[in-house]
Amino acid sequence: MTFTIVARCPQTQLLGVCLATSPLGVASRCPHVRGGVAAISSQCHSDWRHGLVGLELAAKSWSPEEILGALKQKDPFFDYRQIGIVTADGRAAAHSPSKGKVYTGHLVGEGFVAMGNGLAGSQVVDAIHDTFIANATVPFFERLVRAIEAGAAAGGELIGHKSAGLIVCAPEVERPLIDLRIDMANPLPEEGRDAVRDLRRVFDAYQPLVPYYADYWLDHPDVSHAQYLDMTASRGAEAAAGSP
């Protein structure tokens, strides 16, 4: 009951997962991302142990197919799990379970996996896949969010989306560059709200601050986030004025 994009950016080497679902708190269970190693989502009947083990094996240069094989050997309930893996070198693979709710499936592209379970139909995964490809020139954060928005627009889960998340990590950086979580849509889908729309609202507000919280504020304790935004806006205006 989750739809997801797991991907790597070939230009920046960023790794990320963006996803949405009808249960609560999806970002606390399904996505596992380590900069310079891999991005993994374990969902359907999720098992967070698969994410942790998968990252350790990816760090040892195992391929996504090898990782899936190892997970299958040790998990008697593997055919309840849906797993997508993209490693830091862009290799990608996925497993969709026969015991997932209709519709369950995935598409593997160059450096990414689009997948989902319990969806309105195959068009949801198709939309995630096609939108991610079509937005190759936009920044990676935005590209991930647009892919999930496309999945929601294509039907997503018919019962609505209570939670969503976006996590992106960079090589040789211990913490995520961005880790946004809508643990419960407010109000809930049955009251007219949707976690994918909430994620967009939070992402649009937070995205300009990613460089600030990534490293700028560590060495600039006297510069508030509001002052930082003013500075970047001024620089952008100056650059625009100086362009031919």
Side-chain angles (χ1 to χ4, degrees), residues 141 175 177-178 203 206-215 228:
F141 303 143
R175 65 180 295 276
L177 289 180
I178 190 165
F203 170 74
Y206 188 83
Q207 190 274 333
L209 292 168
V210 170
Y212 175 75
Y213 287 121
D215 54 31
Y228 176 83

Side-chain angles (χ1 to χ4, degrees), residues 13 27 68 84 106 109 113 131 172 177 207 234:
Q13 313 305 310
L68 288 173
H106 67 264
V113 172
T131 300
E172 300 180 4
L177 289 180
Q207 190 274 333
S234 298

Side-chain angles (χ1 to χ4, degrees), residues 169-223:
C169 294
E172 300 180 4
V173 179
E174 293 186 8
R175 65 180 295 276
L177 289 180
I178 190 165
D179 188 354
L180 301 179
R181 303 180 177 200
I182 307 300
D183 289 331
M184 184 174 73
N186 184 21
L188 291 170
E190 54 266 33
E191 299 168 329
R193 197 64 186 179
D194 189 280
V196 176
R197 294 201 301 271
D198 287 348
L199 180 63
R200 165 57 73 181
R201 177 176 56 85
V202 174
F203 170 74
D204 284 347
Y206 188 83
Q207 190 274 333
L209 292 168
V210 170
Y212 175 75
Y213 287 121
D215 54 31
Y216 185 88
W217 83 323
L218 302 178
D219 299 317
H220 299 84
D222 295 329
V223 179

Side-chain angles (χ1 to χ4, degrees), residues 12 63 118 145 178 205 221:
T12 63
S63 72
V145 174
I178 190 165

Side-chain angles (χ1 to χ4, degrees), residues 70-88:
L71 297 176
K72 181 178 181 179
Q73 284 186 343
K74 293 190 175 183
D75 183 1
F77 304 109
F78 190 72
D79 214 34
Y80 287 87
R81 325 287 190 199
Q82 186 174 51
I83 304 172
I85 303 173
V86 178
T87 52

Side-chain angles (χ1 to χ4, degrees), residues 149-166:
E149 287 179 322
E157 290 187 58
L158 294 176
I159 59 176
H161 315 118
K162 289 182 181 176
S163 66
L166 170 67

